[in-house]
Amino acid sequence: MPITPTPKIWMNGSLVDWDQAQVHVLTHTLHYGTGVFEGIRAYETPDGPAVFRLTDHIVRLANSAKILGMELPYTVDELVAATKETVASTGLGSCYVRPIAYLGYGEMGLNTLPCRVDVAIACWPWGAYLGDDAVTKGVRMKISSWTRHDHNTMPPAAKTIGNYVNSSLAKVEALKAGYDEAIMLAPNGLVAECTGENIFVSRNGIILTPPLSAGALEGITQSSVMTIARDNGIDVRVDNIARSDLYIADEIFVCGTAAEISSVNSVDDRSVPCPGEATTLIADVYAKAVRGEIPQYKDWCELAV
Ligand code: PPE
């Protein structure tokens, strides 16, 4: 999806012009993929632009860095403030926000210990990741021939730049085969997640989503969905999901910051009822919650100014 530039990007402590936010071709992370990032959205709310669950996202960024043994040169509070400053500088009511911490120019070789850690935060307008009508029409899913990383290969709980080669292989395979998105299985064959979303599967009145131990990222949208579901009397649990659960599901939806909530209309050409009742309800509440329209979830909306 093409990027529309905004005026400024935050780089190592200050806002620089969009076109000046450059890195050297020998930047360490460009060669080895060691780095971490976040995907966050800001929404227009009645009180002004607000960054959805900003602190939770920055805490996850810090945890991803910790898993990789990267020392972030800024505290969570500093990065929260920097993100708000960057969002405010765009003048946009809503946008996608991409903080990234990477190993900068100056060292080569696989020893990351001497490397400098650089941090940048960029924002741009970004539409619905899986299409505008993804909630009502649903998306066609394919189980990927690519396996999600094993915990001892590339820790899936860290939002590591290099991890996304695995997601891109699966995404492109699915698109070329005529599907919208891929579902990834863990090495033990259980369902992990999608290339850039967590998955929820409803069977017999219970909604299940796989745990971190199944190779899923601990999604912040996944966490919001579980709160919304419980608050609306829906039985939602974190538990393992087998491939067959997908084929005979009553409803399936996927969720993530970029994708928000999307229904699934089929998996490997087996149709799934769509849009499901729980999916529709949760998507509706989520869309209002991110825009600060539901008092009980207002704390999730962290004002940019
Ligand atoms: N799993 C993966 C692998 C993942 O990348 C995301 C976010 C999620 C689950 C959902 O996490 P959360 O956003 O906290 O609910 N994927 C980002 C898109 C990646 C991309 O650049 O494309 C996102 O939604 O921002």
Side-chain angles (χ1 to χ4, degrees):
M1 285 186 281
I3 296 177
T4 308
T6 55
K8 300 280 182 190
I9 290 179
W10 189 93
M11 275 186 106
N12 293 325
S14 53
L15 289 172
V16 300
D17 288 344
W18 178 276
D19 289 336
Q20 302 302 314
Q22 311 271 2
V23 293
H24 195 277
V25 74
L26 293 183
T27 297
H28 196 279
T29 299
L30 193 56
H31 295 252
Y32 305 113
T34 318
V36 295
F37 70 103
E38 269 303 319
I40 318 177
R41 274 190 191 273
Y43 294 88
E44 192 108 59
T45 76
D47 301 321
V51 190
F52 190 68
R53 299 191 66 172
L54 171 60
T55 305
D56 291 331
H57 278 280
I58 298 296
V59 166
R60 189 173 64 187
L61 183 80
N63 284 339
S64 295
K66 187 176 181 184
I67 292 172
L68 261 60
M70 274 174 89
E71 193 111 6
L72 287 186
Y74 302 98
T75 63
V76 166
D77 287 349
E78 285 168 339
L79 292 175
V80 164
T83 305
K84 290 180 179 178
E85 187 189 354
T86 315
V87 169
S89 78
T90 66
L92 295 169
S94 60
C95 59
Y96 188 76
V97 186
R98 169 57 51 83
I100 182 167
Y102 56 98
L103 303 180
Y105 170 84
E107 292 282 338
M108 264 303 155
L110 294 177
N111 177 13
T112 57
L113 296 175
C115 294
R116 188 180 93 200
V117 177
D118 287 333
V119 182
I121 306 166
C123 306
W124 65 91
W126 228 23
Y129 201 55
L130 294 173
D132 286 329
D133 47 10
V135 180
T136 47
K137 278 181 65 185
V139 291
R140 292 185 71 211
M141 303 294 262
K142 176 193 191 306
I143 294 181
S144 188
S145 74
W146 297 98
T147 303
R148 186 42 111 213
H149 300 293
D150 174 76
H151 286 275
N152 293 323
T153 310
M154 298 273 270
K159 207 166 159 61
T160 309
I161 294 166
N163 279 7
Y164 281 80
V165 175
N166 179 247
S167 279
S168 287
L169 286 167
K171 181 78 185 184
V172 171
E173 177 189 70
L175 291 176
K176 284 197 162 176
Y179 297 85
D180 300 308
E181 173 57 316
I183 296 171
M184 311 212 53
L185 306 182
N188 65 3
L190 294 171
V191 175
E193 58 176 347
C194 306
T195 67
E197 302 87 24
N198 290 107
I199 189 164
F200 284 82
V201 176
S202 169
R203 282 201 62 214
N204 306 323
I206 300 170
I207 298 184
L208 301 176
T209 189
L212 183 156
S213 57
L217 184 72
E218 257 183 339
I220 288 161
T221 320
Q222 180 191 44
S223 143
S224 308
V225 161
M226 287 195 285
T227 301
I228 290 169
R230 285 184 186 128
D231 289 350
N232 284 276
I234 297 169
D235 191 351
V236 58
R237 300 179 197 173
V238 176
D239 205 349
N240 284 318
I241 295 172
R243 181 175 189 151
S244 334
D245 290 321
L246 300 170
Y247 296 151
I248 54 176
D250 297 327
E251 54 184 295
I252 301 178
F253 63 92
V254 301
C255 72
T257 299
E260 301 180 316
I261 316 266
S262 297
S263 307
V264 169
N265 61 36
S266 66
V267 178
D268 290 345
D269 304 311
R270 278 98 168 155
S271 66
V272 176
C274 166
E277 207 180 309
T279 308
T280 306
L281 184 146
I282 291 165
D284 182 54
V285 175
Y286 182 79
K288 292 189 172 103
V290 296
R291 292 172 178 81
E293 291 166 14
I294 301 190
Q296 118 196 60
Y297 305 129
K298 262 194 133 167
D299 289 352
W300 284 342
C301 304
E302 301 181 37
L303 293 177
V305 279

